[in-house]
Amino acid sequence: GGTMPLQRLEHYLVLSDDIHRTRDFYRDVLGMAEGFRPELDFPGYWLYLGDVPCIHIAEWQSYAEWTKKVGIPVSKRATSTGSVDHIAFNGTGFAEVRARLVERGLAFSENSLEDIGLKQMFLRDPNGVPIEINFRN
């Protein structure tokens, strides 16, 4: 054995040219709560699931300047997310989420794994990050 140093996935950071539209997506479409974010040297938002700030949003240009200052590399713009293919969430209220997407004219696709009682929804956030939502019966 030994102990497991990692306990859970905490957050992922989305770099965006439009932090407001991105916040609105995670808050209004996916139902997360905008919450406390400490004073940082670049604009952005933290979106919560329960008490976990699981989506961090940062304004691309100012974040890139900040990373240069502190000496950590920033992601380069790319046509896709590269090695990270998608981010998956557990969800409830399949019909409600579906209606929300249709109402906003957002593109999505669905998949059903009947044998294990799983419905899936696939969509992209405003920055092209692929999101999967798994609904279990």
Side-chain angles (χ1 to χ4, degrees), residues 15-38:
L15 295 173
S16 180
D17 291 323
D18 190 340
I19 61 174
H20 309 297
R21 184 166 169 239
T22 302
R23 177 214 41 211
D24 294 352
F25 171 83
Y26 286 101
R27 184 189 63 196
D28 304 339
V29 178
L30 297 187
M32 294 182 183
E34 181 184 339
F36 171 79
R37 178 181 183 265

PDB file of all heavy atoms in Angstrom, residues 15-38:
ATOM      1  N   LEU A  15      -8.703  29.241 -20.099  1.00  0.00           N
ATOM      2  CA  LEU A  15      -8.239  30.546 -20.558  1.00  0.00           C
ATOM      3  C   LEU A  15      -9.225  31.053 -21.596  1.00  0.00           C
ATOM      4  O   LEU A  15      -9.630  30.304 -22.490  1.00  0.00           O
ATOM      5  CB  LEU A  15      -6.842  30.428 -21.168  1.00  0.00           C
ATOM      6  CG  LEU A  15      -5.738  30.018 -20.199  1.00  0.00           C
ATOM      7  CD1 LEU A  15      -4.438  29.756 -20.943  1.00  0.00           C
ATOM      8  CD2 LEU A  15      -5.535  31.078 -19.125  1.00  0.00           C
ATOM      9  N   SER A  16      -9.618  32.316 -21.471  1.00  0.00           N
ATOM     10  CA  SER A  16     -10.671  32.817 -22.340  1.00  0.00           C
ATOM     11  C   SER A  16     -10.459  34.274 -22.723  1.00  0.00           C
ATOM     12  O   SER A  16      -9.954  35.068 -21.932  1.00  0.00           O
ATOM     13  CB  SER A  16     -12.015  32.675 -21.622  1.00  0.00           C
ATOM     14  OG  SER A  16     -13.053  33.150 -22.442  1.00  0.00           O
ATOM     15  N   ASP A  17     -10.878  34.618 -23.933  1.00  0.00           N
ATOM     16  CA  ASP A  17     -10.898  36.015 -24.356  1.00  0.00           C
ATOM     17  C   ASP A  17     -12.201  36.670 -23.898  1.00  0.00           C
ATOM     18  O   ASP A  17     -12.334  37.877 -23.922  1.00  0.00           O
ATOM     19  CB  ASP A  17     -10.796  36.122 -25.888  1.00  0.00           C
ATOM     20  CG  ASP A  17      -9.421  35.701 -26.391  1.00  0.00           C
ATOM     21  OD1 ASP A  17      -8.429  36.002 -25.705  1.00  0.00           O
ATOM     22  OD2 ASP A  17      -9.356  35.065 -27.460  1.00  0.00           O
ATOM     23  N   ASP A  18     -13.172  35.865 -23.515  1.00  0.00           N
ATOM     24  CA  ASP A  18     -14.463  36.389 -23.059  1.00  0.00           C
ATOM     25  C   ASP A  18     -14.852  35.691 -21.752  1.00  0.00           C
ATOM     26  O   ASP A  18     -15.596  34.712 -21.744  1.00  0.00           O
ATOM     27  CB  ASP A  18     -15.531  36.181 -24.142  1.00  0.00           C
ATOM     28  CG  ASP A  18     -16.833  36.924 -23.831  1.00  0.00           C
ATOM     29  OD1 ASP A  18     -17.063  37.272 -22.646  1.00  0.00           O
ATOM     30  OD2 ASP A  18     -17.627  37.136 -24.766  1.00  0.00           O
ATOM     31  N   ILE A  19     -14.316  36.215 -20.653  1.00  0.00           N
ATOM     32  CA  ILE A  19     -14.528  35.565 -19.353  1.00  0.00           C
ATOM     33  C   ILE A  19     -15.986  35.650 -18.889  1.00  0.00           C
ATOM     34  O   ILE A  19     -16.461  34.780 -18.178  1.00  0.00           O
ATOM     35  CB  ILE A  19     -13.574  36.117 -18.261  1.00  0.00           C
ATOM     36  CG1 ILE A  19     -13.778  37.608 -18.028  1.00  0.00           C
ATOM     37  CG2 ILE A  19     -12.124  35.795 -18.604  1.00  0.00           C
ATOM     38  CD1 ILE A  19     -12.963  38.184 -16.864  1.00  0.00           C
ATOM     39  N   HIS A  20     -16.706  36.681 -19.337  1.00  0.00           N
ATOM     40  CA  HIS A  20     -18.109  36.824 -18.916  1.00  0.00           C
ATOM     41  C   HIS A  20     -18.991  35.769 -19.586  1.00  0.00           C
ATOM     42  O   HIS A  20     -19.799  35.114 -18.939  1.00  0.00           O
ATOM     43  CB  HIS A  20     -18.626  38.228 -19.215  1.00  0.00           C
ATOM     44  CG  HIS A  20     -17.722  39.305 -18.691  1.00  0.00           C
ATOM     45  ND1 HIS A  20     -17.466  39.469 -17.347  1.00  0.00           N
ATOM     46  CD2 HIS A  20     -16.978  40.235 -19.339  1.00  0.00           C
ATOM     47  CE1 HIS A  20     -16.608  40.470 -17.189  1.00  0.00           C
ATOM     48  NE2 HIS A  20     -16.293  40.941 -18.381  1.00  0.00           N
ATOM     49  N   ARG A  21     -18.792  35.606 -20.899  1.00  0.00           N
ATOM     50  CA  ARG A  21     -19.549  34.590 -21.646  1.00  0.00           C
ATOM     51  C   ARG A  21     -19.228  33.186 -21.115  1.00  0.00           C
ATOM     52  O   ARG A  21     -20.107  32.337 -21.021  1.00  0.00           O
ATOM     53  CB  ARG A  21     -19.193  34.707 -23.131  1.00  0.00           C
ATOM     54  CG  ARG A  21     -19.976  33.774 -24.010  1.00  0.00           C
ATOM     55  CD  ARG A  21     -19.848  34.172 -25.478  1.00  0.00           C
ATOM     56  NE  ARG A  21     -20.398  33.097 -26.296  1.00  0.00           N
ATOM     57  CZ  ARG A  21     -19.701  32.436 -27.218  1.00  0.00           C
ATOM     58  NH1 ARG A  21     -18.451  32.755 -27.478  1.00  0.00           N
ATOM     59  NH2 ARG A  21     -20.264  31.466 -27.898  1.00  0.00           N
ATOM     60  N   THR A  22     -17.972  32.973 -20.766  1.00  0.00           N
ATOM     61  CA  THR A  22     -17.551  31.677 -20.244  1.00  0.00           C
ATOM     62  C   THR A  22     -18.173  31.435 -18.874  1.00  0.00           C
ATOM     63  O   THR A  22     -18.699  30.356 -18.597  1.00  0.00           O
ATOM     64  CB  THR A  22     -16.013  31.589 -20.185  1.00  0.00           C
ATOM     65  OG1 THR A  22     -15.493  31.801 -21.506  1.00  0.00           O
ATOM     66  CG2 THR A  22     -15.556  30.219 -19.693  1.00  0.00           C
ATOM     67  N   ARG A  23     -18.148  32.454 -18.008  1.00  0.00           N
ATOM     68  CA  ARG A  23     -18.800  32.346 -16.692  1.00  0.00           C
ATOM     69  C   ARG A  23     -20.291  32.043 -16.864  1.00  0.00           C
ATOM     70  O   ARG A  23     -20.836  31.172 -16.195  1.00  0.00           O
ATOM     71  CB  ARG A  23     -18.635  33.645 -15.905  1.00  0.00           C
ATOM     72  CG  ARG A  23     -19.369  33.586 -14.560  1.00  0.00           C
ATOM     73  CD  ARG A  23     -19.954  34.905 -14.093  1.00  0.00           C
ATOM     74  NE  ARG A  23     -20.569  35.689 -15.150  1.00  0.00           N
ATOM     75  CZ  ARG A  23     -20.595  37.021 -15.130  1.00  0.00           C
ATOM     76  NH1 ARG A  23     -20.039  37.695 -14.138  1.00  0.00           N
ATOM     77  NH2 ARG A  23     -21.191  37.676 -16.106  1.00  0.00           N
ATOM     78  N   ASP A  24     -20.939  32.769 -17.768  1.00  0.00           N
ATOM     79  CA  ASP A  24     -22.372  32.574 -17.993  1.00  0.00           C
ATOM     80  C   ASP A  24     -22.677  31.146 -18.424  1.00  0.00           C
ATOM     81  O   ASP A  24     -23.682  30.567 -18.012  1.00  0.00           O
ATOM     82  CB  ASP A  24     -22.902  33.545 -19.052  1.00  0.00           C
ATOM     83  CG  ASP A  24     -22.847  35.000 -18.580  1.00  0.00           C
ATOM     84  OD1 ASP A  24     -22.536  35.234 -17.387  1.00  0.00           O
ATOM     85  OD2 ASP A  24     -23.098  35.891 -19.408  1.00  0.00           O
ATOM     86  N   PHE A  25     -21.798  30.563 -19.254  1.00  0.00           N
ATOM     87  CA  PHE A  25     -21.993  29.187 -19.702  1.00  0.00           C
ATOM     88  C   PHE A  25     -21.985  28.222 -18.518  1.00  0.00           C
ATOM     89  O   PHE A  25     -22.906  27.431 -18.337  1.00  0.00           O
ATOM     90  CB  PHE A  25     -20.908  28.793 -20.710  1.00  0.00           C
ATOM     91  CG  PHE A  25     -20.911  27.331 -21.068  1.00  0.00           C
ATOM     92  CD1 PHE A  25     -21.771  26.847 -22.042  1.00  0.00           C
ATOM     93  CD2 PHE A  25     -20.072  26.437 -20.419  1.00  0.00           C
ATOM     94  CE1 PHE A  25     -21.791  25.488 -22.370  1.00  0.00           C
ATOM     95  CE2 PHE A  25     -20.077  25.083 -20.742  1.00  0.00           C
ATOM     96  CZ  PHE A  25     -20.946  24.615 -21.714  1.00  0.00           C
ATOM     97  N   TYR A  26     -20.931  28.284 -17.710  1.00  0.00           N
ATOM     98  CA  TYR A  26     -20.823  27.351 -16.584  1.00  0.00           C
ATOM     99  C   TYR A  26     -21.887  27.609 -15.516  1.00  0.00           C
ATOM    100  O   TYR A  26     -22.386  26.676 -14.901  1.00  0.00           O
ATOM    101  CB  TYR A  26     -19.414  27.382 -15.979  1.00  0.00           C
ATOM    102  CG  TYR A  26     -18.407  26.681 -16.865  1.00  0.00           C
ATOM    103  CD1 TYR A  26     -17.551  27.385 -17.698  1.00  0.00           C
ATOM    104  CD2 TYR A  26     -18.354  25.287 -16.902  1.00  0.00           C
ATOM    105  CE1 TYR A  26     -16.646  26.726 -18.531  1.00  0.00           C
ATOM    106  CE2 TYR A  26     -17.450  24.623 -17.729  1.00  0.00           C
ATOM    107  CZ  TYR A  26     -16.605  25.347 -18.536  1.00  0.00           C
ATOM    108  OH  TYR A  26     -15.724  24.686 -19.361  1.00  0.00           O
ATOM    109  N   ARG A  27     -22.266  28.859 -15.353  1.00  0.00           N
ATOM    110  CA  ARG A  27     -23.264  29.208 -14.344  1.00  0.00           C
ATOM    111  C   ARG A  27     -24.684  28.940 -14.855  1.00  0.00           C
ATOM    112  O   ARG A  27     -25.453  28.226 -14.222  1.00  0.00           O
ATOM    113  CB  ARG A  27     -23.113  30.686 -13.961  1.00  0.00           C
ATOM    114  CG  ARG A  27     -24.048  31.137 -12.832  1.00  0.00           C
ATOM    115  CD  ARG A  27     -24.005  32.639 -12.660  1.00  0.00           C
ATOM    116  NE  ARG A  27     -24.501  33.306 -13.884  1.00  0.00           N
ATOM    117  CZ  ARG A  27     -24.293  34.591 -14.157  1.00  0.00           C
ATOM    118  NH1 ARG A  27     -23.601  35.352 -13.339  1.00  0.00           N
ATOM    119  NH2 ARG A  27     -24.781  35.110 -15.272  1.00  0.00           N
ATOM    120  N   ASP A  28     -25.020  29.509 -16.011  1.00  0.00           N
ATOM    121  CA  ASP A  28     -26.406  29.469 -16.478  1.00  0.00           C
ATOM    122  C   ASP A  28     -26.766  28.204 -17.245  1.00  0.00           C
ATOM    123  O   ASP A  28     -27.900  27.757 -17.191  1.00  0.00           O
ATOM    124  CB  ASP A  28     -26.704  30.694 -17.354  1.00  0.00           C
ATOM    125  CG  ASP A  28     -26.417  32.006 -16.617  1.00  0.00           C
ATOM    126  OD1 ASP A  28     -26.380  31.994 -15.367  1.00  0.00           O
ATOM    127  OD2 ASP A  28     -26.216  33.025 -17.294  1.00  0.00           O
ATOM    128  N   VAL A  29     -25.808  27.645 -17.975  1.00  0.00           N
ATOM    129  CA  VAL A  29     -26.089  26.439 -18.750  1.00  0.00           C
ATOM    130  C   VAL A  29     -25.864  25.189 -17.903  1.00  0.00           C
ATOM    131  O   VAL A  29     -26.702  24.297 -17.856  1.00  0.00           O
ATOM    132  CB  VAL A  29     -25.237  26.380 -20.040  1.00  0.00           C
ATOM    133  CG1 VAL A  29     -25.505  25.086 -20.804  1.00  0.00           C
ATOM    134  CG2 VAL A  29     -25.532  27.590 -20.927  1.00  0.00           C
ATOM    135  N   LEU A  30     -24.717  25.128 -17.196  1.00  0.00           N
ATOM    136  CA  LEU A  30     -24.404  23.931 -16.417  1.00  0.00           C
ATOM    137  C   LEU A  30     -24.819  24.044 -14.951  1.00  0.00           C
ATOM    138  O   LEU A  30     -24.696  23.088 -14.195  1.00  0.00           O
ATOM    139  CB  LEU A  30     -22.912  23.589 -16.533  1.00  0.00           C
ATOM    140  CG  LEU A  30     -22.427  23.233 -17.944  1.00  0.00           C
ATOM    141  CD1 LEU A  30     -20.993  22.755 -17.898  1.00  0.00           C
ATOM    142  CD2 LEU A  30     -23.318  22.184 -18.603  1.00  0.00           C
ATOM    143  N   GLY A  31     -25.290  25.215 -14.540  1.00  0.00           N
ATOM    144  CA  GLY A  31     -25.858  25.355 -13.203  1.00  0.00           C
ATOM    145  C   GLY A  31     -24.864  25.447 -12.061  1.00  0.00           C
ATOM    146  O   GLY A  31     -25.207  25.213 -10.902  1.00  0.00           O
ATOM    147  N   MET A  32     -23.602  25.798 -12.345  1.00  0.00           N
ATOM    148  CA  MET A  32     -22.629  25.970 -11.264  1.00  0.00           C
ATOM    149  C   MET A  32     -22.868  27.308 -10.584  1.00  0.00           C
ATOM    150  O   MET A  32     -23.556  28.180 -11.120  1.00  0.00           O
ATOM    151  CB  MET A  32     -21.212  25.909 -11.823  1.00  0.00           C
ATOM    152  CG  MET A  32     -20.871  24.551 -12.378  1.00  0.00           C
ATOM    153  SD  MET A  32     -19.170  24.521 -12.958  1.00  0.00           S
ATOM    154  CE  MET A  32     -19.133  22.870 -13.619  1.00  0.00           C
ATOM    155  N   ALA A  33     -22.281  27.482  -9.416  1.00  0.00           N
ATOM    156  CA  ALA A  33     -22.446  28.734  -8.681  1.00  0.00           C
ATOM    157  C   ALA A  33     -21.162  29.552  -8.767  1.00  0.00           C
ATOM    158  O   ALA A  33     -20.072  29.046  -8.510  1.00  0.00           O
ATOM    159  CB  ALA A  33     -22.780  28.436  -7.223  1.00  0.00           C
ATOM    160  N   GLU A  34     -21.312  30.828  -9.146  1.00  0.00           N
ATOM    161  CA  GLU A  34     -20.163  31.731  -9.107  1.00  0.00           C
ATOM    162  C   GLU A  34     -19.901  32.025  -7.642  1.00  0.00           C
ATOM    163  O   GLU A  34     -20.834  32.266  -6.872  1.00  0.00           O
ATOM    164  CB  GLU A  34     -20.498  33.014  -9.858  1.00  0.00           C
ATOM    165  CG  GLU A  34     -19.356  34.007  -9.901  1.00  0.00           C
ATOM    166  CD  GLU A  34     -19.756  35.316 -10.564  1.00  0.00           C
ATOM    167  OE1 GLU A  34     -20.744  35.344 -11.321  1.00  0.00           O
ATOM    168  OE2 GLU A  34     -19.065  36.314 -10.289  1.00  0.00           O
ATOM    169  N   GLY A  35     -18.633  31.965  -7.230  1.00  0.00           N
ATOM    170  CA  GLY A  35     -18.342  32.152  -5.824  1.00  0.00           C
ATOM    171  C   GLY A  35     -17.065  32.899  -5.548  1.00  0.00           C
ATOM    172  O   GLY A  35     -16.461  33.482  -6.464  1.00  0.00           O
ATOM    173  N   PHE A  36     -16.648  32.851  -4.299  1.00  0.00           N
ATOM    174  CA  PHE A  36     -15.466  33.567  -3.839  1.00  0.00           C
ATOM    175  C   PHE A  36     -14.245  33.282  -4.695  1.00  0.00           C
ATOM    176  O   PHE A  36     -13.982  32.144  -5.063  1.00  0.00           O
ATOM    177  CB  PHE A  36     -15.152  33.189  -2.384  1.00  0.00           C
ATOM    178  CG  PHE A  36     -13.829  33.734  -1.917  1.00  0.00           C
ATOM    179  CD1 PHE A  36     -13.712  35.068  -1.527  1.00  0.00           C
ATOM    180  CD2 PHE A  36     -12.702  32.926  -1.892  1.00  0.00           C
ATOM    181  CE1 PHE A  36     -12.483  35.583  -1.128  1.00  0.00           C
ATOM    182  CE2 PHE A  36     -11.465  33.431  -1.490  1.00  0.00           C
ATOM    183  CZ  PHE A  36     -11.360  34.763  -1.108  1.00  0.00           C
ATOM    184  N   ARG A  37     -13.518  34.345  -5.004  1.00  0.00           N
ATOM    185  CA  ARG A  37     -12.236  34.238  -5.696  1.00  0.00           C
ATOM    186  C   ARG A  37     -11.321  35.266  -5.048  1.00  0.00           C
ATOM    187  O   ARG A  37     -11.687  36.432  -4.943  1.00  0.00           O
ATOM    188  CB  ARG A  37     -12.424  34.546  -7.187  1.00  0.00           C
ATOM    189  CG  ARG A  37     -11.131  34.520  -8.008  1.00  0.00           C
ATOM    190  CD  ARG A  37     -11.478  34.866  -9.473  1.00  0.00           C
ATOM    191  NE  ARG A  37     -10.319  34.798 -10.348  1.00  0.00           N
ATOM    192  CZ  ARG A  37      -9.559  35.850 -10.670  1.00  0.00           C
ATOM    193  NH1 ARG A  37      -9.814  37.043 -10.173  1.00  0.00           N
ATOM    194  NH2 ARG A  37      -8.535  35.697 -11.487  1.00  0.00           N
ATOM    195  N   PRO A  38     -10.135  34.842  -4.603  1.00  0.00           N
ATOM    196  CA  PRO A  38      -9.243  35.806  -3.963  1.00  0.00           C
ATOM    197  C   PRO A  38      -8.745  36.862  -4.952  1.00  0.00           C
ATOM    198  O   PRO A  38      -8.888  36.695  -6.154  1.00  0.00           O
ATOM    199  CB  PRO A  38      -8.085  34.937  -3.457  1.00  0.00           C
ATOM    200  CG  PRO A  38      -8.122  33.715  -4.300  1.00  0.00           C
ATOM    201  CD  PRO A  38      -9.562  33.499  -4.671  1.00  0.00           C
TER     202      PRO A  38
END
